[in-house]
Amino acid sequence: MLDRLTFPQPWLSLSLFLIWQFLSEGVSGGSVVLGLVLAWAIPQLTQGFWPERPSLLKWWRMPGYLVHVLRDIVVASFEVAALILSARRPRSAFVVYPLELTDPLAITVLAGTISLTPGTVTVDVSDDHKSLLIHALDAESDEEVIHSIRNRYERRLLEMFE
């Protein structure tokens, strides 16, 4: 009986509850109760889709990572705008990025981060989860793209997930 009252995905439950409160027209007793019911019920109903619990071991590093990514998004936006407005032709390239990450959630976060940053997009994850195919709008070389992603994002994710 106690297993049915627990939260199998506590971070998902917390996120769902907070999102529900933001979407409600103000915090009230009813919105809190319904938010708690949704925060418990949705993870219970989707539990079969989660093969294992996410392994975010050092969760306190996530806010610093998010600030770093947001800063990179702003900087990359200006760089892409400058590239588009200039007469120089971009040197676009597809790059195969070898992964050091092994955790599926960490790979998903990295792929999402790459796609959120203007000028790059994750095109594919290899079937063996050992590499990403990335399209870069303007790249001097494959090594430059790999070095940049590894130092800016993957190392930080390795610290958080492994």
Side-chain angles (χ1 to χ4, degrees), residues 1-78:
M1 176 69 180
L2 188 58
D3 287 346
R4 293 185 181 173
L5 297 176
T6 62
F7 293 90
Q9 302 290 333
W11 290 107
L12 175 61
S13 295
L14 178 63
S15 299
L16 288 169
F17 177 76
L18 293 175
I19 289 169
W20 181 258
Q21 294 310 307
F22 283 125
L23 294 175
S24 297
E25 294 182 18
V27 177
S28 66
S31 73
V32 169
V33 169
L34 187 55
L36 288 172
V37 168
L38 291 173
W40 175 80
I42 291 173
Q44 292 291 336
L45 294 172
T46 62
Q47 194 170 8
F49 299 110
W50 297 84
E52 57 197 42
R53 289 185 69 132
S55 60
L56 184 60
L57 299 176
K58 297 179 183 170
W59 58 268
W60 61 89
R61 292 185 182 263
M62 186 59 80
Y65 180 77
L66 292 175
V67 168
H68 182 77
V69 169
L70 288 174
R71 181 192 156 285
D72 282 356
I73 290 171
V74 171
V75 170
S77 296
F78 284 108

Side-chain angles (χ1 to χ4, degrees), residues 51-129:
E52 57 197 42
R53 289 185 69 132
S55 60
L56 184 60
L57 299 176
K58 297 179 183 170
W59 58 268
W60 61 89
R61 292 185 182 263
M62 186 59 80
Y65 180 77
L66 292 175
V67 168
H68 182 77
V69 169
L70 288 174
R71 181 192 156 285
D72 282 356
I73 290 171
V74 171
V75 170
S77 296
F78 284 108
E79 290 173 350
V80 168
L83 176 67
I84 291 169
L85 295 174
S86 72
R88 185 174 72 79
R89 290 188 52 92
R91 299 165 299 215
S92 62
F94 282 97
V95 178
V96 176
Y97 180 83
L99 288 166
E100 291 179 12
L101 293 167
T102 57
D103 183 80
L105 180 60
I107 293 170
T108 303
V109 171
L110 178 62
T113 299
I114 292 167
S115 294
L116 283 172
T117 307
T120 56
V121 65
T122 304
V123 178
D124 192 22
V125 180
S126 66
D127 290 337
D128 62 359
H129 300 283

